[in-house]
Amino acid sequence: MNIDPIHQFEVQRYADLLRVSGVSFSFTNASAFMIGIVGAIFLFLTFATRGRTLVPGRMQSVAEMSYEFIAKMVRDSAGNEGMVFFPLVFSLFMFVFVANVIGLVPYTFTITAHIIVTAALALLVIGTVVIYGFWRHGTHFLHLFVPSGVPSFLLPFVVLIEVVSFLSRPISLSLRLFANMLAGHIALKVFAFFVVGLSSAGIAGMFGATLPFFMIVALTALELLVAVLQAYVFAVLTSIYLNDAVHPGH
Amino acid sequence: MTKTWKLTVAAALMGLALAAAPAVASDSAKPSSGPAGAAVAQQDHGASTGAHVAEVVGEAAHGGEHKGGFPPFNPATFGSQLAWLAVSFGVLYLLMSRVTLPRIGRILEERHDRIARDLAEASQRRAESEAAQIAYEKALTEARGKANAIAGEARNRLNAETETNRKSLEAALTVKLEEAEARISSTKTDALSHVRGIAVDTAQTIVNTLVGTTPGQQDTESAVDQVLSRKAA
């Protein structure tokens, strides 16, 4: 039976490509959606800006607004030096945003509802912060964990807290997105199964099924909000974390 | 109007869901077919414990339990997901940083430049018009000053002319006045010289009328002279 709210998250293999020491790199529905998302982003942005008009049309406005929105976000959080990360934050935002929104379409696969995907993206962010921070500032990057103006007897505790909070960043960043997507989709499926289950119980059940049906409509609206919001939150936090790589001193 | 429309759509969707429900249910009951099922079964683990189980990647890693665990936490899918995520996100990053973002950035920059250029041109035009206005005002002030000067000069000249005319006229009038006064005094003297003759004639005529005889010329003249000298005294 597909009456299972978890079924939608299952990874289905389309083609077995390569297997290295038991780890499969098969082409799956997740892979297909990742490639589809990348293709959709690139084709849309290219198509929208094909005219390169001085006064933008609707589609070009969307492309320009997303550009300026992310550019402003990065500049506000990380300053002008942080603009080296603009392509990264833009790619992350568009990727997560499109993945979240596509996932709301029935029968699609939500790649951001997989912890491995969100964790990989979060680790990419934190890895960029650490590598760029050390490359750019050397050991000065470690001042990130040593706030100035703290009494010396408190310093060990403060440093400990700073380190823990830094280490928890990739966890919170990945779990927030993953949990939001997962919970929303499960809730939608559960209410959908209420509709199916109730309506199979005759006429009275069909009338009763209208309630969860409208609940699905409301939940879908909420999930759309969550999908957009989580992509935004991911991008904002990314630019805030990247600010540490650019300006490690507090 | 829109409400009925929405209700219709909702009812249609609900009908669709009801129609789809048995189909979906029977679909999964059938032995798996199609691309998903065909390529999926993890033969090396030999776990084909049912169609649905075989559909799931990594199901067999759990030794063919009824449920393959929670799919997002299934480590058997991690390798494939990570690899494809790396490929697709890497491609996305390259496309964005090399193609799309420079493209949009160029469009924005061109617009920004154009606006800046237009603004600069507008401010230049304004400066020009302000300069023209200042020049005009300056010319106007100069012209006004010149006009004032000309008017003052003309006024002074006219004043001077009037003054001269007046003086010459006054002089002429004074001469005429003096002449007239001289004429009057001569006429007066002349007239006074005739008074005695008239008085003698008048006195003779009066006496003649009263008495009937004319007095002698000598007597009358002496009488008149006597009266006149008394009057003069």
Side-chain angles (χ1 to χ4, degrees), chain A residues 6-7 10-11 13 24-26 31 34 38 46 49-50 54 56 60 64 67 88 114-115 124 182 196 199, chain B residues 18 21 39-40 42 52 56-57 70-72 80-81 83-85 88-89 93 100-101 103 107-108 111 114:
Chain A
I6 305 301
H7 177 76
E10 273 163 5
V11 176
R13 189 179 300 147
S24 152
F25 296 108
S26 334
S31 326
M34 287 171 191
V38 172
T46 308
T49 55
R50 73 198 181 284
L54 195 65
Q60 195 180 321
E64 287 175 9
Y67 180 100
L88 176 69
H114 276 256
I115 182 82
L124 172 69
L182 185 84
V196 176
S199 53
Chain B
L18 293 181
V40 152
Q42 301 236 354
H52 177 240
V56 180
V57 175
F70 193 48
S80 149
Q81 298 224 56
W84 285 100
L85 178 67
S88 54
F89 191 76
Y93 181 80
T100 304
L101 293 179
R103 187 182 159 106
I107 292 172
L108 293 174
R111 180 175 312 141
R114 173 73 187 270

Side-chain angles (χ1 to χ4, degrees), chain A residues 116-129 170-171 173-174 234:
Chain A
I116 188 67
V117 173
T118 60
L121 294 177
L123 284 173
L124 172 69
V125 172
I126 299 300
T128 308
V129 170
I171 301 169
L173 194 59
S174 55
F234 198 93

Side-chain angles (χ1 to χ4, degrees), chain A:
Chain A
M1 284 289 279
N2 265 356
I3 308 276
D4 171 11
I6 305 301
H7 177 76
Q8 57 179 325
F9 303 116
E10 273 163 5
V11 176
Q12 297 177 349
R13 189 179 300 147
Y14 293 159
D16 209 350
L17 291 181
L18 179 69
R19 191 175 297 239
V20 181
S21 59
V23 181
S24 152
F25 296 108
S26 334
F27 189 77
T28 63
N29 51 354
S31 326
F33 270 94
M34 287 171 191
I35 288 168
I37 287 160
V38 172
I41 295 169
F42 181 65
L43 289 180
F44 172 76
L45 290 178
T46 308
F47 181 69
T49 55
R50 73 198 181 284
R52 300 176 175 221
T53 50
L54 195 65
V55 179
R58 262 185 262 176
M59 300 246 282
Q60 195 180 321
S61 286
V62 172
E64 287 175 9
M65 272 163 63
S66 52
Y67 180 100
E68 287 179 326
F69 176 64
I70 302 294
K72 185 176 183 302
M73 182 192 288
V74 175
R75 198 174 289 120
D76 286 352
S77 312
N80 276 327
E81 300 151 61
M83 287 307 277
V84 288
F85 297 121
F86 172 57
L88 176 69
V89 180
F90 188 83
S91 307
L92 276 171
F93 174 77
M94 291 309 273
F95 192 73
V96 173
F97 175 78
V98 176
N100 289 354
V101 172
I102 280 185
L104 283 175
V105 179
Y107 295 104
T108 56
F109 182 83
T110 316
I111 59 166
T112 42
H114 276 256
I115 182 82
I116 188 67
V117 173
T118 60
L121 294 177
L123 284 173
L124 172 69
V125 172
I126 299 300
T128 308
V129 170
V130 171
I131 292 170
Y132 184 84
F134 275 117
W135 174 74
R136 178 82 189 277
H137 301 284
T139 50
H140 180 70
F141 177 65
L142 292 173
H143 281 114
L144 177 64
F145 303 112
V146 189
S148 54
V150 175
S152 53
F153 67 92
L154 275 177
L155 207 54
F157 301 103
V158 173
V159 168
L160 185 70
I161 290 169
E162 290 284 342
V163 168
V164 169
S165 85
F166 187 84
L167 291 180
S168 66
R169 279 174 180 181
I171 301 169
S172 68
L173 194 59
S174 55
L175 275 182
R176 183 181 301 111
L177 179 58
F178 160 69
N180 268 290
M181 289 300 111
L182 185 84
H185 283 77
I186 290 179
L188 277 175
K189 264 286 157 63
V190 166
F191 279 102
F193 293 143
F194 281 164
V195 175
V196 176
L198 278 173
S199 53
S200 63
I203 290 292
M206 282 192 184
F207 277 109
T210 51
L211 217 62
F213 181 79
F214 285 113
M215 195 67 195
I216 294 175
V217 176
L219 267 181
T220 306
L222 178 71
E223 283 311 308
L224 190 61
L225 176 72
V226 168
V228 177
L229 206 63
Q230 286 307 317
Y232 171 71
V233 166
F234 198 93
V236 165
L237 289 176
T238 298
S239 24
I240 289 171
Y241 296 161
L242 287 171
N243 179 40
D244 286 342
V246 185
H247 311 107
H250 271 253

Side-chain angles (χ1 to χ4, degrees), chain B:
Chain B
M1 180 63 198
T2 53
K3 202 164 190 176
T4 55
W5 181 82
K6 279 175 187 165
L7 279 175
T8 318
V9 171
L13 279 175
M14 182 135 168
L16 206 68
L18 293 181
V24 170
S26 63
D27 210 30
S28 63
K30 272 187 281 184
S32 64
S33 56
V40 152
Q42 301 236 354
Q43 302 295 348
D44 48 342
H45 290 269
S48 50
T49 58
H52 177 240
V53 176
E55 265 187 287
V56 180
V57 175
E59 185 69 14
H62 288 259
E65 294 164 18
H66 177 56
K67 287 283 168 194
F70 193 48
F73 293 152
N74 184 348
T77 67
F78 285 3
S80 149
Q81 298 224 56
L82 283 178
W84 285 100
L85 178 67
V87 169
S88 54
F89 191 76
V91 168
L92 178 68
Y93 181 80
L94 283 180
L95 285 176
M96 290 297 114
S97 60
R98 296 281 157 80
V99 184
T100 304
L101 293 179
R103 187 182 159 106
I104 301 176
R106 213 157 37 235
I107 292 172
L108 293 174
E109 203 176 328
E110 269 166 23
R111 180 175 312 141
H112 185 262
D113 288 353
R114 173 73 187 270
I115 289 171
R117 206 165 54 234
D118 286 0
L119 279 179
E121 199 180 308
S123 74
Q124 192 198 331
R125 291 272 162 83
R126 198 179 54 193
E128 276 171 13
S129 82
E130 274 171 4
Q133 168 126 18
I134 287 167
Y136 160 76
E137 273 170 6
K138 197 174 154 212
L140 192 66
T141 318
E142 270 172 15
R144 202 171 274 151
K146 210 180 274 176
N148 279 342
I150 289 170
E153 199 183 311
R155 195 169 55 231
N156 289 344
R157 204 182 61 232
L158 287 175
N159 278 348
E161 266 174 28
T162 315
E163 191 71 10
T164 356
N165 283 349
R166 192 170 62 87
K167 278 188 180 147
S168 65
L169 210 59
E170 265 176 9
L173 283 174
T174 313
V175 170
K176 276 183 182 164
L177 206 62
E178 278 166 2
E179 275 174 11
E181 273 173 359
R183 207 163 52 235
I184 286 169
S185 72
S186 75
T187 310
K188 194 177 169 186
T189 322
D190 204 26
L192 281 177
S193 70
H194 290 306
V195 165
R196 184 171 167 270
I198 292 166
V200 171
D201 284 350
T202 310
Q204 276 180 341
T205 309
I206 290 167
V207 169
N208 187 28
T209 309
L210 290 175
V211 184
T213 59
T214 309
Q217 187 73 26
Q218 288 278 312
D219 295 341
T220 312
E221 279 180 6
S222 63
V224 167
D225 284 341
Q226 222 175 332
V227 174
L228 281 176
S229 63
R230 209 167 47 227
K231 262 225 171 120

